[in-house]
Amino acid sequence: GSCQGNSVERKIYIPLNKTAPCVRLLNAPPQIGCQSSISGDTGVIHVVEKEEDLQWVLADGPDPPYMILLDGNLFNRRVLLQLKGTSRVSGLAVAMAKPNPPQGFSPGLKCPNDGFGVYSKDYGPEFAHCNTTVWNPMGTELSYEDFDFPIFLLEDANETQVIKQCYLDHNVPRDGSRPEYPLCAMQLFSHMHAVTSTVTCMRRSSLQSTFSINPEIVCDPLLDYNVWSTLQPINSSGKVEPEKEVIMVATRIDSHSFFWNIAPGAESAVSSFVTHLAVAEALHKASDVHLLHRNIMFTFFQGETFDYIGSSRMVYDMEKDKFPLRLDNIHSFVELNQVALRNDSVLWMHTDPVSRMNESVDVQVQELLSTLSSSSTGASVTLQEAGFSQPLPPSSFQRFLRARHIPGVVLADHRTAFQNRYYQSMYDTPENIGMQYPEGLSPEETLEYVTDTAKALAELGTVVARALYRLAGGASSVDAIQADPRTVTRMLYGFLIKMNNSWFQSIIKPDLKGILGDDVPQHYVAVSSPVNTTYLVQYVLANLTGTVVNLTKEECQNPEKTPNSEKELYDYAWVQGSLGPNSTARTPFCVRSTVHLSKALSPAFELRQWSSTEYSTWTESRWKDIRARIFLVASRELEMITLVVGIVILILSLLATYFINAKADVLFSLPRDPAAVSY
């Protein structure tokens, strides 16, 4: 039965397998995103490749509601708000624009993370709400609208072509007359369980968990883990002494776009965290790091796109003594922001003008600035101060400043507004940061090919590593401290083009090899953790900064049973190792590093303050079914005729059944046996 049913379904429907939906996210006040009705939304397909094509959908077309196949270059705020205001549209399928839209496209906010940084009516009110600088002028804020119809991204050009062909074959009007049935239609399923706000959905989920044996959770907080390590090992389960000073280096590792789990983040995240990883490797190779007066902490924050989830949680843990470091241990703060799109090789050093009004803070900030500037002497990258009257761009550092006046610098490729024209969009791809490869390279050759982008980021990594060495009290020559462009190019390939490569395979645990899919890597924070990006940043950092130790598999996986393992100082990982030449067998080994994970869940959920304005309150709705398919649909008249004929046949069959049942003794009586007749 089921096999037969499936074959019938396959004859009726063509499934679209490479799609990404817009889903519902919720915050303390609003809900944003998209959803379909509970049984999915259906409409006749109409292809819109120029704005004039919308007239058919919005007014002229005789067969509403319509399901629009929209050219990626028309996916903008003006068009979507037109479609939002009509009942003639049942959904939207968006084809990726190739090449990227030249005018730029950012569905993010003009003032990212507004209200959750350091500037407010009480602290630098002249800088609050981007009063001085609109950081993302390209932002259309489309990702923060609420749509009551489904919107899907078509990731496969072949599937887009199938839909267009179906439209051309069946839906194009001939000689000015309306198209004839059957028409090509599309059905999109993306019904969301959560509604209204985080407060509502968390309260419902909480009640369900309390009183139901099988609770139906309707939404989940966005959460993951921060990745951190230190140059000199510290006791991860204890407390660092108050007099020990630490220089904190930070970047974010997540991004976002309009569509769920489509977050390439080449400029907004990957360029900076790859540079950060290269800095960590360069410093660990220095011979005298154990003699430095100050320790250096490498921190990779997760969930920063959504009102600083990772950094606000680390600050909260430091304040509550739930982290090895306290805020008092932080000597200074250096953050790598968007760094790949430099103009004339200039990188801008941003500082906070409000905290610098304190003389002691200003002196330390001046030292930071001069050390960074002098470290760029002779390099192909120049560091310049953005200006005293300029506020900090959106950055994790702002969350630390909210808690304490820490001297700090944020490095970025923009002096005022972002250089990135594709901030928080699906077009923030390798092409956006100028990554280019020669034709005809094998995957292995592409992995090893050193791009110009990798060279530029490695040069920046060298400058930052040398500055950090000096700030930490290093007295030797810095000439040997060098970020490796080959490492940088491998990381860019792995985090932006293909995670499933030979290097990533060799540095992760055997039971994690399933995370290395062949799809393009995405860096969305999500609700199930750790996500692939977090795992890979963790293991790349361990590989670049750790040491191979001579332990067996059992000893490596159970360091507490191994003498002299110092497991409170180090983390141990048994990794796959690389393939031998002409072999299918790997040579696994044990890596000892100072890499750790810490929770990146907003304190609002620990405190059950779901309407908090102090901490991020973002949640993601749950859903049951997300899919898309196309099929041919008959006219309403034919459907009604079919229905009426079906009802008539049903009534006739019921009457026939009743008549046969009533006359059964006559119709089905047996003839009597003549021999049994008596006279």
Side-chain angles (χ1 to χ4, degrees):
S2 64
C3 294
Q4 192 176 356
N6 283 338
S7 66
V8 170
E9 183 173 319
R10 282 200 299 272
K11 287 175 182 173
I12 298 172
Y13 299 106
I14 299 174
L16 304 172
N17 297 318
K18 289 284 289 177
T19 61
C22 158
V23 303
R24 175 168 289 164
L25 297 174
L26 305 104
N27 205 350
Q31 62 181 28
I32 62 169
C34 324
Q35 76 154 351
S36 73
S37 60
I38 197 162
S39 55
D41 288 326
T42 306
V44 172
I45 295 169
H46 190 72
V47 175
V48 174
E49 293 180 326
K50 52 189 184 298
E51 283 207 40
E52 299 81 76
D53 297 339
L54 288 170
Q55 181 62 24
W56 181 265
V57 172
L58 298 173
D60 300 346
D63 305 298
Y66 285 96
M67 195 62 80
I68 297 173
L69 174 57
L70 187 70
D71 184 271
N73 290 298
L74 292 176
F75 184 61
N76 57 49
R77 186 177 182 85
R78 188 178 67 255
V79 168
L80 260 72
L81 291 189
Q82 280 186 69
L83 304 179
K84 190 178 177 180
T86 175
S87 59
R88 290 175 58 89
V89 174
S90 59
L92 204 59
V94 181
M96 285 277 274
K98 293 280 174 69
N100 292 353
Q103 72 278 12
F105 173 71
S106 171
L109 298 170
K110 289 184 186 296
C111 191
N113 293 5
D114 185 25
F116 289 86
V118 72
Y119 303 113
S120 66
K121 67 181 192 309
D122 304 316
Y123 186 100
E126 67 273 27
F127 305 126
H129 313 303
C130 295
N131 284 340
T132 309
T133 307
V134 177
W135 295 107
N136 185 28
M138 295 293 303
T140 61
E141 311 197 345
L142 206 52
S143 289
Y144 296 83
E145 289 285 337
D146 184 36
F147 296 93
D148 59 358
F149 54 78
I151 304 177
F152 278 54
L153 177 68
L154 301 171
E155 298 181 75
D156 186 346
N158 293 331
E159 289 189 343
T160 304
Q161 198 50 49
V162 167
I163 299 168
K164 281 185 179 176
Q165 195 57 52
C166 189
Y167 164 79
L168 292 171
D169 291 346
H170 299 278
N171 296 10
V172 176
R174 310 286 178 204
D175 306 321
S177 60
R178 65 183 288 172
E180 292 183 8
Y181 283 93
L183 297 176
C184 191
M186 184 185 293
Q187 190 171 28
L188 302 178
F189 297 85
S190 63
H191 181 67
M192 300 287 134
H193 293 176
V195 293
T196 311
S197 70
T198 288
V199 179
T200 304
C201 80
M202 288 301 290
R203 190 172 61 237
R204 286 180 181 172
S205 297
S206 179
L207 286 169
Q208 285 269 352
S209 301
T210 308
F211 298 111
S212 175
I213 299 169
N214 298 310
E216 187 177 322
I217 309 299
V218 294
C219 69
D220 301 282
L222 295 180
L223 71 128
D224 204 79
Y225 288 90
N226 300 321
V227 182
W228 65 276
S229 79
T230 50
L231 195 57
Q232 300 162 353
I234 62 172
N235 187 341
S236 59
S237 55
K239 290 284 174 288
V240 172
E241 296 86 349
E243 66 276 7
K244 288 280 178 70
E245 292 184 326
V246 176
I247 299 166
M248 197 162 182
V249 193
T251 43
R252 65 176 57 192
I253 57 173
D254 68 299
S255 188
H256 179 45
S257 82
F258 186 87
F259 298 99
W260 183 74
N261 206 27
I262 299 293
E267 158 75 340
S268 63
V270 177
S271 66
S272 56
F273 77 68
V274 159
T275 307
H276 188 171
L277 287 162
V279 168
E281 180 190 34
L283 282 168
H284 270 272
K285 283 181 178 174
S287 57
D288 60 343
V289 289
H290 59 287
L291 301 174
L292 296 177
H293 307 316
R294 298 186 184 108
N295 206 345
I296 298 174
M297 178 175 169
F298 307 103
T299 320
F300 300 82
F301 290 120
Q302 185 59 279
E304 295 299 274
T305 305
F306 295 95
D307 301 335
Y308 305 120
I309 293 171
S311 54
S312 63
R313 179 53 186 259
M314 187 171 281
V315 171
Y316 175 82
D317 286 345
M318 285 180 175
E319 289 178 320
K320 303 293 181 189
D321 273 353
K322 296 180 178 179
F323 195 79
L325 267 69
R326 299 176 182 87
L327 289 166
D328 294 343
N329 292 117
I330 301 174
H331 168 267
S332 51
F333 200 105
V334 177
E335 180 167 353
L336 289 160
N337 213 309
Q338 303 181 80
V339 293
L341 297 175
R342 302 198 290 277
N343 266 350
D344 303 322
S345 296
V346 174
L347 201 71
W348 296 97
M349 299 183 289
H350 296 263
T351 57
D352 172 42
V354 182
S355 60
R356 285 182 70 181
M357 290 175 186
N358 178 313
E359 194 177 333
S360 65
V361 172
D362 188 48
V363 168
Q364 288 178 279
V365 171
Q366 293 284 8
E367 185 199 345
L368 268 173
L369 294 171
S370 63
T371 307
L372 282 160
S373 296
S374 62
S375 298
S376 66
T377 307
S380 64
V381 55
T382 311
L383 272 67
Q384 292 184 20
E385 193 177 346
F388 193 81
S389 59
Q390 176 85 6
L392 286 169
S395 50
S396 308
F397 179 41
Q398 292 201 31
R399 288 304 300 197
F400 285 80
L401 273 180
R402 274 175 83 129
R404 190 169 175 272
H405 280 184
I406 298 168
V409 173
V410 176
L411 302 176
D413 55 22
H414 53 90
R415 183 176 190 172
T416 53
F418 294 164
Q419 297 274 31
N420 186 3
R421 292 174 301 133
Y422 305 107
Y423 183 73
Q424 288 186 10
S425 93
M426 63 253 201
Y427 300 117
D428 191 4
T429 55
E431 293 77 24
N432 186 32
I433 59 170
M435 281 175 63
Q436 293 177 319
Y437 295 93
E439 293 285 326
L441 294 185
S442 69
E444 201 60 32
E445 289 167 337
T446 314
L447 171 68
E448 300 293 344
Y449 179 81
V450 180
T451 60
D452 290 341
T453 305
K455 289 174 188 171
L457 293 178
E459 187 82 25
L460 170 59
T462 299
V463 170
V464 174
R466 289 174 178 178
L468 290 168
Y469 175 79
R470 286 176 175 148
L471 288 166
S476 306
S477 166
V478 293
D479 293 347
I481 297 175
Q482 198 88 29
D484 187 352
R486 290 171 303 170
T487 304
V488 173
T489 211
R490 284 172 159 195
M491 289 191 283
L492 288 172
Y493 179 81
F495 285 112
L496 287 173
I497 295 171
K498 192 179 182 188
M499 282 186 170
N500 195 11
N501 61 71
S502 60
W503 185 46
F504 278 9
Q505 287 166 9
S506 70
I507 63 174
I508 63 165
K509 290 180 176 178
D511 57 336
L512 290 177
K513 61 187 178 189
I515 69 171
L516 300 176
D518 287 323
D519 292 334
V520 174
Q522 307 297 344
H523 307 291
Y524 172 62
V525 56
V527 295
S528 56
S529 60
V531 294
N532 298 358
T533 307
T534 305
Y535 272 132
L536 288 168
V537 168
Q538 178 189 3
Y539 286 101
V540 168
L541 184 58
N543 178 267
L544 298 180
T545 63
T547 51
V548 177
V549 287
N550 188 20
L551 295 179
T552 64
K553 183 179 180 181
E554 287 67 35
E555 289 171 334
C556 190
Q557 291 176 338
N558 302 286
E560 65 278 359
K561 297 176 183 175
T562 309
N564 306 319
S565 68
E566 299 179 294
K567 72 173 184 61
E568 59 284 339
L569 298 181
Y570 297 103
D571 179 76
Y572 291 81
W574 184 258
V575 300
Q576 288 198 118
S578 50
L579 290 168
N582 306 319
S583 167
T584 54
R586 294 185 177 275
T587 312
F589 55 91
C590 186
V591 175
R592 185 186 74 183
S593 71
T594 61
V595 181
H596 305 281
L597 298 181
S598 69
K599 229 183 232 184
L601 167 66
S602 170
F605 297 101
E606 298 259 320
L607 302 167
R608 295 173 71 87
Q609 295 174 358
W610 301 321
S611 58
S612 172
T613 54
E614 169 74 11
Y615 299 112
S616 170
T617 55
W618 285 104
T619 52
E620 181 185 275
S621 173
R622 288 197 177 184
W623 59 81
K624 186 178 179 183
D625 193 19
I626 286 191
R627 57 197 168 100
R629 59 190 186 181
I630 62 171
F631 57 96
L632 295 180
V633 63
S635 68
R636 280 296 164 93
E637 291 79 8
L638 182 57
E639 285 177 343
M640 291 307 296
I641 291 167
T642 306
L643 179 64
V644 169
V645 169
I647 291 169
V648 168
I649 291 170
L650 176 65
I651 292 168
L652 288 174
S653 64
L654 288 172
L655 288 171
T657 304
Y658 173 78
F659 174 76
I660 292 168
N661 198 40
K663 302 293 183 182
D665 55 333
V666 177
L667 294 170
F668 303 113
S669 59
L670 295 169
R672 281 187 286 181
D673 186 354
V677 177
S678 56
Y679 294 96

